[in-house]
Amino acid sequence: MCLFAVDGTWSVNFNSADSGKDVVGRNVGNSDEEIRSNTRRFYEGCAYPPSKKFYFAGPGYGMSGADSWKIYHNVLDTIIEQTNKGNCDEIVMVGWSRGAAIISELTEGLSALAETNSRRVAYQKGGRGTRYRTQRNVIKGGKLPPIKFIGLFDSVSMIWRNSPIDRKWGEDITSQVNYFAHVVAGDRTGPVWGLVDFYPANPLIEATRQEVMHLANTNHGGVGGQDDTASAQIAYRYIRHHATIAGVP
């Protein structure tokens, strides 16, 4: 199996300064304090060898999350690359906040890829907008690894009001997922300054096994943020417990 961990917005603020760089070379951590997000804690604690686990820092545009699509494609490209190298025979993904929403959207992208072995890729950008073409035979041998486990810390699809992005972006889990676990915060702040909406999590979960826990009196950061808080530890133990049952070391 391979782990792909995608952190939340401004996640560098939740990871200490000595955390190095993520898969695409972005700095992880700008704080001298020994604090971690639950996604980073899961990544560090997972017993997969370094060659089989990949960490992606979360979006850097706090209000809009405008770089979420870029991170989505970075993760997808890494999954495809590692699959074609023969390094991954099963997929595990864990994330927090918008990182969790990116993972949810990836389950749809991976499901479509598994069915057609093709994807749309951008090849030209300019005044007339981005142009796309279809890339075929993306996966060698045509078989994508199964999605063994998805663990989410309060997935949030948070977008600008009147955004052209589909408002259901990043909230569905497809039937290709074998085991799904999610911790949802009961106290979300929003809309933000009348500009940004928080959309409800989990409108459609089709995973074979589904486990969702609601922390009624816990805010968004208390689920996936500083891992030394009581609520974050509860959330972490819940996701780690189900990951262990699913066979994640």
Side-chain angles (χ1 to χ4, degrees), residues 103-138:
I103 287 173
S104 297
E105 189 71 15
L106 277 163
T107 69
E108 298 187 57
L110 289 169
S111 296
L113 180 58
E115 291 177 8
T116 67
N117 200 17
S118 64
R119 60 185 290 211
R120 298 284 284 171
V121 294
Y123 74 96
Q124 182 177 335
K125 297 182 179 180
R128 295 183 180 180
T130 303
R131 297 185 180 184
Y132 294 85
R133 60 187 171 195
T134 299
Q135 179 182 3
R136 304 189 186 281
N137 299 318
V138 177

Side-chain angles (χ1 to χ4, degrees), residues 64 157-161 163 165-167 195-197 199:
S64 68
S157 180
M158 178 180 162
I159 61 172
W160 289 106
R161 286 185 175 178
S163 169
I165 298 176
D166 181 355
R167 292 192 175 202
L195 297 174
V196 179
D197 288 327
Y199 287 92

Side-chain angles (χ1 to χ4, degrees), residues 5-238:
V6 190
D7 226 327
T9 305
W10 291 331
S11 53
V12 291
N13 295 320
F14 294 84
N15 295 296
S16 55
D18 60 356
S19 296
K21 297 182 181 296
D22 75 350
V23 171
V24 295
R26 290 180 297 168
N27 290 327
V28 178
N30 61 8
S31 170
D32 292 331
E33 299 179 62
E34 291 298 322
I35 56 178
R36 291 178 300 177
S37 68
N38 271 337
T39 300
R40 185 70 188 185
R41 179 184 178 187
F42 192 102
Y43 165 80
E44 292 176 351
C46 179
Y48 291 146
S51 64
K52 288 185 176 290
K53 58 182 184 179
F54 308 88
Y55 175 84
F56 299 81
Y61 295 94
M63 286 295 293
S64 68
D67 49 344
S68 295
W69 272 119
K70 184 176 182 179
I71 297 170
Y72 169 95
H73 286 292
N74 285 339
V75 181
L76 181 59
D77 289 344
T78 304
I79 291 173
I80 292 170
E81 177 188 27
Q82 296 302 318
T83 298
N84 286 338
K85 286 181 176 179
N87 190 39
C88 298
D89 55 5
E90 291 179 319
I91 295 170
V92 174
M93 293 189 283
V94 173
W96 170 43
S97 190
R98 279 200 186 107
I102 289 168
I103 287 173
S104 297
E105 189 71 15
L106 277 163
T107 69
E108 298 187 57
L110 289 169
S111 296
L113 180 58
E115 291 177 8
T116 67
N117 200 17
S118 64
R119 60 185 290 211
R120 298 284 284 171
V121 294
Y123 74 96
Q124 182 177 335
K125 297 182 179 180
R128 295 183 180 180
T130 303
R131 297 185 180 184
Y132 294 85
R133 60 187 171 195
T134 299
Q135 179 182 3
R136 304 189 186 281
N137 299 318
V138 177
I139 302 297
K140 293 179 181 178
K143 186 175 182 181
L144 192 71
I147 305 174
K148 183 76 171 181
F149 177 76
I150 299 288
L152 304 183
F153 297 99
D154 202 32
S155 175
V156 168
S157 180
M158 178 180 162
I159 61 172
W160 289 106
R161 286 185 175 178
N162 303 317
S163 169
I165 298 176
D166 181 355
R167 292 192 175 202
K168 292 181 68 176
W169 185 88
E171 295 286 6
D172 293 348
I173 299 294
T174 64
S175 59
Q176 279 71 18
V177 177
N178 183 46
Y179 200 134
F180 173 75
H182 192 180
V183 179
V184 180
D187 180 14
R188 287 181 174 173
T189 303
V192 180
W193 301 332
L195 297 174
V196 179
D197 288 327
F198 286 86
Y199 287 92
N202 301 330
L204 181 63
I205 305 174
E206 296 182 330
T208 302
R209 178 167 179 176
Q210 309 169 18
E211 303 289 345
V212 179
M213 178 173 70
H214 294 263
L215 289 179
N217 298 314
T218 302
N219 62 27
H220 179 63
V223 169
Q226 298 185 20
D227 70 346
D228 59 348
T229 63
S231 58
Q233 289 186 44
I234 292 170
Y236 181 83
R237 287 195 296 268
Y238 183 84

